[in-house]
Amino acid sequence: MKTSPVDAVVMPESVGRGLLTHARNEAPLECCGLLIGTKEQVVRSARAHNLYQSPTRYRVDPVDHFEAIRTARNEGLEVVGAYHSHPGSLPQPSETDLNQANYPQFVYVIVSLVSKETEAIKGYRMRSGQATQVELISHEESRCAGSIRGEGNR
């Protein structure tokens, strides 16, 4: 897996905080959802039901996916990515993540809850079983160097 950022996506700090909150609320199970915005920027997230209800796998409920598509279109936006949590592992794509990534244009964001001190969010493009890290840039703060860190007890 390549780890140096080759592209970047703007994702407001507030969106990152929302992803961390969703992950904490669903732990020890994986949470999942979709990212709404444009090719260059995530504007907001849309929570989805994890059909697997598993601590190590996720599947976005198609009903939630289609609702996110409809809502985004009504706002002049699109679904540009997906996110899920790794409650007990680092924010790196697993073999399952790589094999089930069906949208090569998506940014896939992984939220790690390994410990409150090391909560982190990282983004990737996943194509043909390979992941390339995407730099997540917050316009509310300075560049995030590829990840957004949590602050523990929020």
Side-chain angles (χ1 to χ4, degrees):
M1 175 177 68
K2 296 177 186 176
T3 57
S4 60
V6 295
D7 68 7
V9 173
V10 173
M11 188 171 85
E13 190 77 21
S14 59
V15 173
R17 285 191 304 268
L19 301 185
L20 280 165
T21 298
H22 188 196
R24 289 183 199 121
N25 290 344
E26 295 294 323
L29 303 177
E30 285 196 6
C31 75
C32 61
L34 298 154
L35 302 171
I36 311 299
T38 65
K39 182 178 174 185
E40 299 84 21
Q41 179 175 356
V42 172
V43 174
R44 65 179 179 81
S45 64
R47 291 183 180 194
H49 177 69
N50 179 356
L51 291 178
Y52 287 150
Q53 292 292 294
S54 166
T56 59
R57 293 186 68 198
Y58 79 98
R59 170 144 308 155
V60 171
D61 187 326
V63 171
D64 296 329
H65 194 164
F66 286 118
E67 179 61 26
I69 291 169
R70 276 192 296 275
T71 303
R73 283 183 182 158
N74 288 338
E75 297 170 353
L77 301 169
E78 60 187 315
V79 175
V80 295
Y83 72 91
H84 72 283
S85 62
H86 283 184
S89 63
L90 296 174
Q92 298 171 342
S94 67
E95 286 298 317
T96 301
D97 293 337
L98 292 170
N99 292 330
Q100 294 184 351
N102 295 318
Y103 302 99
Q105 74 281 11
F106 266 23
V107 59
Y108 288 90
V109 172
I110 301 174
V111 181
S112 174
L113 298 177
V114 172
S115 73
K116 291 199 186 269
E117 295 77 33
T118 59
E119 288 179 341
I121 299 171
K122 291 194 177 183
Y124 300 89
R125 302 273 185 207
M126 296 188 215
R127 298 177 178 100
S128 304
Q130 298 292 316
T132 304
Q133 190 171 340
V134 173
E135 184 174 12
L136 300 176
I137 301 170
S138 170
H139 61 69
E140 295 167 359
E141 291 185 3
S142 61
R143 294 172 77 88
C144 300
S147 66
I148 297 172
R149 297 211 171 270
E151 293 183 10
N153 299 319
R154 287 193 207 207

